Amino acid sequence: MASQTPATRRAPDRSAALAQYRRRAATYDRELAIFEPIRTEAIASLQLQRGDTVLDVGCGTGLSFEQLHDRIGKGGHVVGIEQCPEMLAKARERVEQNRWRNVDLVCAPAAAAVIEKQADAALFHFTHDILREDAAIANVLSHLKPGARVVATGLQWASPWAWPTNGFVMLAAMYSVTSFEGLGLPWNKLAQRLREVDVEHALMGGIYIASGRYVPDSH
Ligand SMILES: C[S@@+](CC[C@H](N)C(=O)[O-])C[C@H]1O[C@@H](n2cnc3c(N)ncnc32)[C@H](O)[C@@H]1O
């Protein structure tokens, strides 16, 4: 059987994602540099307060930690969840270099991660595979306090007329996700579980920032 590609796979594939990020760990931070303004906007949208606990889902090498830490202060907590040991090793180096004592790292797929805190906010920054997995969304949301802010960002197909943007989205997605499934509306599974959902776009519609509030059904 011919091997699958992100374009032909119908759902995310965790082992393919693991292999993809094992290869990228050494160069990842440089590759992400052009998207840093989106990170800043996403983290601002979390509306964090001093003392908050925030989940950084698919935290990679921990590029969001500094901005998260600045906003929550020493009394808050960051929980970084990441399945790729090579990416998480970089995150751990960052935590040690900065002597952050309030950043916990969990090496596990988002669907199975044991999260020991109830959080005030969750960030899914460029984590398409995770956002297309119902069990991952369910596990993360079950560790949020009622009213918690949730922000997701990433690549998205732009309008068909924006074909240069879609060329960029396709190349970037081939390299960074394991399935194109849901690239039209990447946040829609998450949004079903949120209230006050707002979606903004950048890069001619090729990047989204979706935010909302988690309110469990019983509230
Ligand atoms: C594009 S990177 C984003 C990293 C980070 N959020 C950032 O802002 O730079 C996607 C990350 O999600 C991780 N990932 C993919 N699928 C995952 C899963 N099912 N559970 C946990 N992490 C996953 C990858 O290993 C990778 O580190």
Side-chain angles (χ1 to χ4, degrees):
M1 193 178 85
S3 69
Q4 296 253 291
T5 70
T8 59
R9 246 184 234 112
R10 291 182 171 190
D13 177 328
R14 278 192 213 154
S15 17
L18 204 50
Q20 193 171 48
Y21 284 94
R22 286 202 144 128
R23 282 194 300 272
R24 289 185 67 188
T27 52
Y28 180 81
D29 290 5
R30 284 197 297 280
E31 293 163 4
L32 258 272
I34 58 162
F35 297 116
E36 287 313 296
I38 307 292
R39 183 188 309 282
T40 301
E41 202 176 327
I43 292 174
S45 300
L46 285 172
Q47 300 174 8
L48 294 167
Q49 309 289 322
R50 310 299 279 178
D52 275 357
T53 293
V54 55
L55 307 181
D56 186 355
V57 187
C59 68
T61 61
L63 283 171
S64 295
F65 292 172
E66 185 169 4
Q67 290 189 50
L68 295 174
H69 192 271
D70 284 351
R71 286 173 182 267
I72 60 173
K74 288 186 178 162
H77 283 96
V78 177
V79 181
I81 301 158
E82 170 58 51
Q83 72 163 1
C84 174
E86 287 78 0
M87 294 291 276
L88 202 66
K90 298 269 173 199
R92 188 164 290 114
E93 267 173 39
R94 195 184 301 276
V95 170
E96 283 165 9
Q97 276 164 11
N98 286 282
R99 299 189 185 174
W100 291 320
R101 298 191 193 291
N102 53 352
V103 181
D104 298 333
L105 300 177
V106 180
C107 190
V114 175
I115 304 166
E116 288 177 352
K117 295 187 164 63
Q118 288 299 110
D120 303 280
L123 176 65
F124 296 81
H125 188 64
F126 282 78
T127 56
H128 183 72
D129 280 17
I130 298 174
L131 288 170
R132 303 316 296 168
E133 198 186 337
D134 294 323
I137 292 175
N139 187 35
V140 172
L141 295 186
S142 73
H143 292 88
L144 295 183
K145 297 177 190 169
R149 289 279 298 166
V150 180
V151 174
T153 67
L155 298 164
Q156 172 184 12
W157 293 131
S159 302
W161 57 263
W163 55 266
T165 299
N166 282 331
F168 171 80
V169 170
M170 188 177 76
L171 290 176
M174 283 300 285
Y175 190 56
S176 59
V177 309
T178 65
S179 170
F180 285 6
E181 187 281 319
L183 265 186
L185 288 174
W187 65 86
N188 68 351
K189 287 184 183 230
L190 180 65
Q192 283 168 13
R193 308 282 311 273
L194 303 181
R195 301 212 189 141
E196 301 169 32
V197 175
D198 178 61
V199 184
E200 292 176 20
H201 290 97
L203 189 81
M204 309 277 289
I207 287 185
Y208 70 90
I209 301 179
S211 58
R213 219 167 262 293
Y214 176 60
V215 181
D217 291 339
S218 54
H219 282 68

